[in-house]
Amino acid sequence: MKLKNSVHAALLTTALAAGTVAPAVAADGGRAAGAVAQAAATVQKATGTKDVVADSATGAVTATERGLVTVTTPASAGGRVTVAASDGSAVTMTLPAAVDAAGATSAAGTTVYPNAAAHTDLATQATVDGGARALVTLKNAAAPTIQRFDLGLPAGATLIADGAGGYDIVTSANGAGAATRGHVDAPWAKDANGNSVPTIYSLDGNTLVQTIETGPDTAYPVVADPHYTWGIITGTVYFNKKETKLLALGGTVVSWIPNPAAVVGGRSLAAIAGAAVAADKCVKIKVNPGLAPLSPGAAVSGSGYYSGKSGDGYCM
């Protein structure tokens, strides 16, 4: 949503380009423009703007290897950030807003929602990789350090922890296994001095819960970021215990998996799956983004194990 007042919009654009806060020209309007400029400048200091799609308030369309991805940021903090693939499927995310604050978009493409929650500004950015950021700015030590982002997933999609602090968004792959079609990056947070602030995710159903571990040495404001993409198959396929056992017996599960009996470097997919079964774990393997067969060597080198805990229930 663009600023309605052209004078304020011009001041805001100038202030953001210079990295400063717009001066007040009228009592209420000037303060509002200044708050917007400050909120955007704080976020852009933490994220930079090189990977942000400029002028994205009405929807950013990005070309990726899997087709066009459209990112739509909400006009107000009560709306949803939407990332839609070219097949029409989409993943949405709500912002942790207590107030349905109106958004204003900077020239660099950051949409901010000042004072959308207690001691907290919110913001969104469309990124050039076909993803979206939802940014939380904790303005002082009184701001809540637990933030909740409700995810809207397509039918049949689920979240699997990637083992690195983030989550893969997966859907059924040709009737067996779960192929990654999107990703939630590991979280980060920075204080006003650019120092990293410890932060982690957990899941409550399809709600992404971010905990930010501020302390007495934290310099405010603190900016924290969930970033997610959708519609891009990244090449990891997860198998549950039943499917892993079938792989261990030499079964192909689905036609695009290379022959599991092929031995490469002294190991086969069947052997890897057998070790996973013995350890009461499941197998994940790498495939080409288009789900075309990889060579057995490439598939083995990209294979690994995961457990029910790290897989958030898929390894059952």
Side-chain angles (χ1 to χ4, degrees):
M1 176 178 176
K2 301 294 184 183
L3 290 175
K4 295 181 179 179
N5 187 295
S6 60
V7 174
H8 292 165
L11 288 169
L12 174 60
T13 300
T14 301
L16 292 179
T20 60
V21 179
V25 294
D28 292 335
R31 282 196 295 269
V36 167
Q38 184 63 55
T42 297
V43 167
Q44 291 170 181
K45 177 183 176 182
T47 65
T49 58
K50 289 183 179 179
D51 69 342
V52 179
V53 180
D55 196 24
S56 58
T58 57
V61 179
T62 303
T64 72
E65 63 181 6
R66 296 294 298 169
L68 297 178
V69 174
T70 302
V71 179
T72 305
T73 58
S76 64
R80 286 180 171 267
V81 185
T82 301
V83 179
S86 55
D87 63 3
S89 63
V91 170
T92 66
M93 177 184 284
T94 62
L95 302 174
V99 177
D100 192 21
T105 304
S106 76
T110 301
T111 300
V112 294
Y113 313 91
N115 301 310
H119 310 282
T120 304
D121 294 336
L122 301 177
T124 58
Q125 293 174 335
T127 54
V128 297
D129 60 357
R133 289 193 185 105
L135 298 130
V136 176
T137 299
L138 311 183
K139 297 197 286 186
N140 54 54
T145 55
I146 297 177
Q147 304 289 336
R148 298 172 64 88
F149 305 85
D150 294 331
L151 297 175
L153 303 178
T158 189
L159 294 157
I160 296 179
D162 66 359
Y167 290 90
D168 284 335
I169 308 171
V170 301
T171 59
S172 175
N174 295 348
T180 304
R181 288 201 57 205
H183 187 68
V184 180
D185 292 351
W188 60 261
K190 294 180 183 179
D191 73 4
N193 295 327
N195 297 320
S196 295
V197 178
T199 181
I200 58 172
Y201 285 147
S202 60
L203 280 183
D204 180 7
N206 283 341
T207 297
L208 190 67
V209 182
Q210 183 172 12
T211 301
I212 306 158
E213 300 177 8
T214 57
D217 296 329
T218 302
Y220 290 89
V222 172
V223 178
D225 162 59
H227 177 263
Y228 73 102
T229 56
W230 172 248
I232 305 171
I233 296 177
T234 60
T236 301
V237 178
Y238 296 84
F239 296 92
N240 59 29
K241 287 184 177 178
K242 180 179 178 181
E243 294 158 346
T244 298
K245 289 178 180 178
L246 184 56
L247 279 173
L249 295 172
T252 58
V253 184
V254 285
S255 61
W256 43 262
I257 297 179
N259 181 6
V263 176
V264 178
R267 300 193 75 193
S268 67
L269 288 180
I272 292 172
V277 171
D280 198 30
K281 294 184 177 181
C282 296
V283 162
K284 60 181 179 180
I285 68 170
K286 290 289 185 180
V287 297
N288 284 327
L291 295 185
L294 283 175
S295 68
V300 170
S301 67
S303 299
Y305 310 133
Y306 74 101
S307 67
K309 180 179 181 181
S310 64
D312 286 291
Y314 185 75
C315 181
M316 295 184 295

